Amino acid sequence: MTVEKDKYRLLCTEEESIPVFSRDWWLDIVCGENKWDVLLHEQKGQTIAAMPLYVPHAGIISMPPYTQTMGPWFKPQANDTKYTTTLNSRQTICNTFIERIQKYPHFLQNFSVQITDWLPFYWKGYKQTTRYTYILHEINNSIALWENMSANIRRNITKAKDKHHITIKQGIPIDDFLKMQRQTFDRQQMHPENPNVLKRLIEECKKRKQGEIWGGYDEKGQLHAAAFIVWQKSSAYYLAGGGDPCLRTSGAHSLVMWTAIQ
């Protein structure tokens, strides 16, 4: 283990703002303990920035499975810090990280939505593609979420409850969930990422009380749809899900997601 990696493991126990996808235990599972490393930037003896790296093969930095974002993490600054101060500091830190990753011929990472300035990478010849995600703010406001939801999704939720009498349960057996996810990929003629990794993630997240599987059952006990949600204090993420191909029209998946949000 590198000295930086050792320091980072300690940092993950102390720093709440590190995203769940960049935590050491998460990386151990999705990358393998020996296939990830981390770059640290210290100031006055304190770590103020970090950049975990998944290195599946020599010379390659890429994204591990079931991991939505990586990229640099910066220690939160005081609320009254000037924007120009923050910008200059982060650009300087990114330059030090870039100097160290340039030895890798291949670099691919999905940065978090919190990373709004990638200019240091552009200046060094890196390219980027903008992708979009959807964030539901203040998910405790169920009335506002319901009113802003599409009419089609609202109808599906109502249909699942009133017509098909779908009941949502937590703690769905992991093997049942993985079977359903596999059926979904088979229907789409796609190959899922390593299911063993997903199983370990579910087990660890449940153990840490940072993840759960929600599933929708009908009156006959048939599982229509299920979703695996991961969370930390600041946010929650829909990580994986699936539905029975023969029961897709029940609206159960919409009801599962709505219940998980609530």
Side-chain angles (χ1 to χ4, degrees):
M1 181 183 294
T2 65
V3 174
E4 282 183 303
K5 200 168 178 180
D6 204 12
K7 288 182 178 180
Y8 186 67
R9 289 192 184 278
L10 179 60
L11 182 69
C12 285
T13 67
E14 301 171 340
E15 184 54 65
E16 192 176 76
S17 66
I18 295 175
V20 63
F21 300 124
S22 291
R23 294 199 165 265
D24 58 330
W25 60 267
W26 183 282
L27 297 171
D28 284 341
I29 295 174
V30 298
C31 302
E33 292 187 27
N34 298 320
K35 290 195 174 182
W36 70 273
D37 210 333
V38 63
L39 309 178
L40 300 182
H41 188 89
E42 296 181 335
Q43 190 176 81
K44 298 179 180 179
Q46 286 192 332
T47 300
I48 62 170
M51 189 170 182
L53 308 173
Y54 171 45
V55 188
H57 306 286
I60 293 176
I61 295 173
S62 189
M63 289 296 297
Y66 301 106
T67 303
Q68 294 185 5
T69 59
M70 290 183 73
W73 163 83
F74 302 100
K75 188 177 180 67
Q77 295 183 313
N79 292 332
D80 59 352
T81 304
K82 291 183 178 180
Y83 174 69
T84 52
T85 301
T86 299
L87 190 65
N88 290 335
S89 172
R90 291 186 174 185
Q91 288 185 349
T92 299
I93 292 169
C94 282
N95 281 328
T96 65
F97 287 160
I98 292 168
E99 288 176 5
R100 298 179 62 185
I101 64 174
Q102 282 187 319
K103 66 180 181 180
Y104 294 91
H106 178 88
F107 173 82
L108 171 67
Q109 281 194 337
N110 299 338
F111 283 8
S112 163
V113 295
Q114 277 78 35
I115 306 300
T116 57
D117 176 27
W118 75 286
L119 271 177
F121 292 87
Y122 172 75
W123 291 330
K124 295 295 183 178
Y126 291 88
K127 297 179 181 179
Q128 71 92 25
T129 297
T130 301
R131 294 183 175 183
Y132 295 89
T133 189
Y134 295 90
I135 300 174
L136 301 179
H137 298 283
E138 299 180 7
I139 60 174
N140 60 325
N141 191 341
S142 295
I143 295 175
L145 290 179
W146 180 262
E147 290 177 348
N148 284 281
M149 198 182 300
S150 74
N152 182 53
I153 297 299
R154 287 202 299 263
R155 283 194 296 269
N156 282 340
I157 293 171
T158 301
K159 178 174 66 172
K161 291 190 295 185
D162 297 344
K163 181 179 179 180
H164 296 280
H165 307 291
I166 301 297
T167 301
I168 307 302
K169 299 179 181 179
Q170 294 185 39
I172 305 306
I174 297 175
D175 288 339
D176 290 354
F177 173 75
L178 294 176
K179 178 182 178 181
M180 176 157 287
Q181 193 202 34
R182 185 170 62 252
Q183 289 175 332
T184 301
F185 277 98
D186 287 344
R187 178 181 62 81
Q188 298 172 340
Q189 297 183 332
M190 296 174 62
H191 296 288
E193 296 178 285
N194 191 329
N196 293 326
V197 171
L198 180 56
K199 185 173 184 178
R200 289 184 60 202
L201 273 181
I202 295 172
E203 291 171 342
E204 186 64 24
C205 289
K206 286 169 70 72
K207 176 182 173 183
R208 292 174 174 271
K209 301 187 185 304
Q210 286 187 250
E212 186 56 273
I213 304 173
W214 275 262
Y217 292 85
D218 63 20
E219 293 174 307
K220 297 179 181 179
Q222 297 181 105
L223 180 60
H224 284 228
F228 173 47
I229 311 295
V230 175
W231 62 80
Q232 57 192 99
K233 186 174 181 179
S234 61
S235 51
Y237 304 88
Y238 170 57
L239 198 71
D244 188 320
C246 298
L247 303 170
R248 291 178 59 217
T249 60
S250 68
H253 193 271
S254 297
L255 180 58
V256 167
M257 293 298 292
W258 176 236
T259 305
I261 289 170
Q262 291 178 301

